[in-house]
Amino acid sequence: MRNYVLKRLGQAVLVLWAAYTLSYLLLSALPGDAVTNRVQNPEAQISPESAQALLEYYGLDRPLWEQYLGSLIAVFDGDLGFSLTNGTSVTELIGDALPSTLALTGLALVFGIVVAAVLAIVINYAPWRWLRGVAGSIPALFGSVPTFVVGVLALQFLSFGLHLIPSTDDGSFVALLAPAATLGALISAPLAQVLSTSIARVRAMPFVHVLHARGASESYAFRRGVLRNSSLPVLTLLGLACGELIAGSVVTEAVYARPGLGQLTVNAVSTQDLPVLQGVVLVATVAYVSVNLVVDLAYPFIDPRILVEGKTRRVPAARIRRKVPIPVVIGHRETGVVAVPAPRELSLEVSMP
C-alpha cells in the first residue's frame, strides 16, 4: 500500500510540473502581452525610461528560460506574480474568485452524481419498459446539447419567464441553483451512461445469481454486491469529469454573470494578462490532479486487487511427495465390496494462484 501511495504522489507531482511547464511555454508563445502592448501603443505616451522600468519590473526583458526558472521558483514560494493590467497580486485575484467557483462546481458535482445515479437505477430496475427507454435517452440528450444553450434556456424560462431565480448573481443560494444544474447536466450524461452499463454488466455475473438463489432481494443484491462492483468505472470517470466542471464553469459563469474563475479567465484572455492566465491554469491543474489522486487512493479500498497492479501472482509449481492412502477393492459381487486402505507413493503437481 505504501508503494502504491508513493507512486501515485510522484505521478501527481510530475503531472503538475509538466502542466505548468507546457502552459508557460504555450502562453509565452502568444504574440504580445499587456505590458508590451501598452508600451508599443502610441496613444499611451509612455517614455522609454518608464517602458524599460515596466519591462524590468515584470522580467519581460530577460530570456525565456530565465523567466521560466524565476516563475517556477516563485511558485514554490507561493508567489504567482502580479497582474499586468492593474498590478494586483495574482494570488489575491484568484483568492477572491475561487470561493464562488468552488461553490458552483461543488453543487454541480453533487447534482450530476445524483442525476446520474437516479438515471442508471431507473434504466436497469424500472418495472416499465417505456420508462427505461425514456431514461436511457436522457444521457444522450444531455451530452449533445451545449452548456451555453442549456444555460440560456434555463435563464429565459426560470428568470425572465417564471421569475423564480434572479437574472444576475445576488449572492443567494437560489441564484446558485440554476447555474449548478446547468453545469451538473454536463457531467451527468457520461456518468449515467457508464454507471448504467456497469450495473447491467455486474447484474449478469454469477455471484448475483447466487445471491438471488439464496433468497436475497433485488435491493439487497444491489446494495451488497452490484453497487460496489460497478462503482470503479464511475470513479475513474468522475476524476475526469472534474476537469469538465472547471472548463464548463467559464461558460456558465459568463451566461449567468457570476463572478469567479471563469470571469477572471475571460478578462485575462481579453487583455492578454499572462500571469493571471498562468495562475488560473495552475489552480485548475492542482484541483484536477488532487481529485484524481483522491480517486486513485480510493481504488484499493473498493477493490483490493488494484494493489496487485494487474499482475497475477503465481507461485511456482511445487512437486509434493507424500504417502496417500489408496483404497484397494477386494471382494465379490455376492459378498459385498471391502475397501482396504493401502499406502502408495504419489507425485502431485500443485499450482497456487
Side-chain angles (χ1 to χ4, degrees):
M1 182 65 180
R2 184 183 62 182
N3 294 334
Y4 178 82
V5 173
L6 292 177
K7 181 179 179 180
R8 292 298 180 266
L9 287 175
Q11 291 176 350
V13 173
L14 182 61
V15 169
L16 285 175
W17 170 80
Y20 181 84
T21 303
L22 183 61
S23 63
Y24 189 91
L25 295 177
L26 291 177
L27 292 175
S28 300
L30 295 177
D33 54 71
V35 174
T36 305
N37 294 339
R38 183 180 178 184
V39 169
Q40 295 177 354
N41 187 5
E43 298 180 358
Q45 296 181 357
I46 299 178
S47 63
E49 294 78 9
S50 300
Q52 184 63 28
L54 283 174
L55 295 176
E56 291 179 357
Y57 177 78
Y58 289 103
L60 299 177
D61 59 334
R62 295 179 295 173
L64 181 60
W65 66 271
E66 290 186 6
Q67 298 180 37
Y68 168 73
L69 291 180
S71 63
L72 186 62
I73 294 174
V75 166
F76 285 103
D77 294 334
D79 182 14
L80 299 180
F82 297 91
S83 172
L84 299 182
T85 56
N86 53 24
T88 308
S89 172
V90 175
T91 305
E92 182 179 350
L93 292 174
I94 294 178
D96 294 338
L98 190 58
S100 177
T101 301
L102 288 180
L104 174 61
T105 54
L107 188 59
L109 182 62
V110 173
F111 179 85
I113 292 175
V114 171
V115 171
V118 171
L119 288 177
I121 294 174
V122 171
I123 292 172
N124 287 277
Y125 292 97
W128 302 287
R129 184 176 180 180
W130 66 268
L131 183 58
R132 295 196 299 268
V134 171
S137 62
I138 292 179
L141 177 63
F142 284 173
S144 59
V145 179
T147 305
F148 73 91
V149 174
V150 178
V152 170
L153 292 177
L155 192 63
Q156 178 67 32
F157 286 104
L158 298 179
S159 178
F160 301 109
L162 302 177
H163 303 285
L164 296 177
I165 62 173
S167 58
T168 58
D169 179 59
D170 58 358
S172 63
F173 181 74
V174 178
L176 183 61
L177 292 178
T182 302
L183 190 55
L186 176 67
I187 65 169
S188 64
L191 289 178
Q193 189 66 39
V194 172
L195 182 58
S196 61
T197 304
S198 183
I199 289 176
R201 178 181 58 82
V202 174
R203 287 184 68 190
M205 290 185 175
F207 79 92
V208 178
H209 298 304
V210 172
L211 288 176
H212 290 313
R214 296 177 62 182
S217 62
E218 196 72 56
S219 61
Y220 179 86
F222 175 76
R223 288 183 286 105
R224 299 299 298 270
V226 176
L227 182 60
R228 180 175 181 179
N229 287 276
S230 59
S231 60
L232 278 180
V234 180
L235 279 179
T236 302
L237 188 60
L238 191 61
L240 300 176
C242 290
E244 297 184 8
L245 285 177
I246 297 173
S249 65
V250 177
V251 179
T252 306
E253 289 176 353
V255 171
Y256 289 94
R258 287 184 54 85
L261 290 181
Q263 289 284 4
L264 183 64
T265 304
V266 172
N267 295 333
V269 170
S270 61
T271 58
Q272 291 184 318
D273 199 340
L274 300 186
V276 176
L277 287 175
Q278 187 69 37
V280 172
V281 170
L282 181 61
V283 171
T285 306
V286 170
Y288 181 78
V289 171
S290 299
V291 172
N292 282 273
L293 179 61
V294 172
V295 171
D296 287 340
L297 296 181
Y299 280 162
F301 296 98
I302 298 176
D303 189 356
R305 294 174 298 178
I306 298 295
L307 297 177
V308 184
E309 300 180 357
K311 298 179 180 179
T312 304
R313 296 181 178 179
R314 299 190 62 85
V315 178
R319 182 174 296 274
I320 304 176
R321 303 182 66 89
R322 56 174 298 183
K323 299 289 185 176
V324 180
I326 304 297
V328 179
V329 179
I330 303 175
H332 192 268
R333 181 181 302 174
E334 298 180 355
T335 59
V337 177
V338 180
V340 180
R344 183 176 300 175
E345 192 174 279
L346 292 181
S347 296
L348 301 179
E349 290 283 345
V350 179
S351 179
M352 301 294 293

